[in-house]
Structures are given as C-alpha cells and as structure tokens.
C-alpha cells in the first residue's frame, strides 16, 4: 500500500518522479513513482503537530472532568438544601 503518485503530485509535486500517463519512446507506459524519503520530514512534522494536539486535548479533558465533578458537587449541595427546606416546611 502507498500513495497514488498522480494524486500525491497535486499536493507534493517534489515527492513524485515522472509524469502522469507518460510513455517511453516505444509507447510503453512510463509509470510515475513516489520518493518516499522526501515525505519523511513532512510526516514527522505532522506527527509532532498531532502529538501536541493530543496533549492539549488530554489536558482540556482533565480540566473539564474536574469542572464536571465540581458542578456535580454543587448540584448535590443544592439538592440537599432544597430537601432540608422542604422537610422543614
């Protein structure tokens, strides 16, 4: 499995060798190929970006979970107070 060269060429032309639908001097297909080594830097950069995003979202999730616990505690306190008020009346 890999990339389809002519599709990759639209976005990263430097990673593709040859031309789409090219033929040699005898009319035989001269297929494109992908220079995967030229994609390494791009791939590493994308992985780093996504790893940073994962860390950011994990931290946000921790903050939201803590906020949820606080809100649940506040709600429970309100319900307890309402029950106490109702029992006193």
């Amino acid at each position: 499995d890999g990339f389809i060269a002519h599709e990759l060429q639209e976005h990263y032309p430097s990673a593709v060798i040859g031309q789409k639908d090219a033929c040699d001097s005898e009319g035989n297909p001269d297929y494109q190929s992908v220079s995967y080594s030229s994609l390494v830097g791009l791939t590493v950069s994308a992985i780093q970006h996504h790893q940073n995003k994962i860390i950011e979202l994990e931290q946000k999730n921790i903050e939201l979970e803590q906020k949820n616990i606080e809100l649940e505690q506040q709600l429970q306190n309100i319900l307890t107070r309402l029950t106490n008020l109702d029992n006193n009346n």
Side-chain angles (χ1 to χ4, degrees):
D1 292 326
F3 294 103
I4 297 174
H6 71 272
E7 291 178 0
L8 181 63
Q9 191 170 31
E10 295 175 20
H11 304 283
Y12 303 102
S14 63
V16 177
I17 301 164
Q19 297 298 318
K20 184 179 184 318
D21 300 326
C23 293
D24 64 16
S25 60
E26 297 176 3
N28 298 315
D30 190 10
Y31 298 109
Q32 289 179 298
S33 61
V34 174
S35 172
Y36 287 95
S37 63
S38 64
L39 296 174
V40 171
L42 175 69
T43 304
V44 169
S45 177
I47 290 169
Q48 289 171 337
H49 170 76
H50 287 105
Q51 186 61 39
N52 289 336
K53 191 66 174 174
I54 289 168
I55 291 168
E56 175 188 328
L57 291 172
E58 286 174 337
Q59 181 60 40
K60 184 68 173 174
N61 189 50
I62 290 168
E63 292 169 6
L64 290 172
E65 286 176 343
Q66 183 58 42
K67 184 67 174 174
N68 188 48
I69 289 169
E70 292 170 7
L71 290 171
E72 286 176 349
Q73 290 171 343
Q74 289 176 7
L75 177 60
Q76 188 59 45
N77 289 340
I78 290 169
L79 291 173
T80 299
R81 291 172 67 189
L82 285 173
T83 300
N84 289 340
L85 284 174
D86 191 39
N87 287 339
N88 288 336
N89 291 329

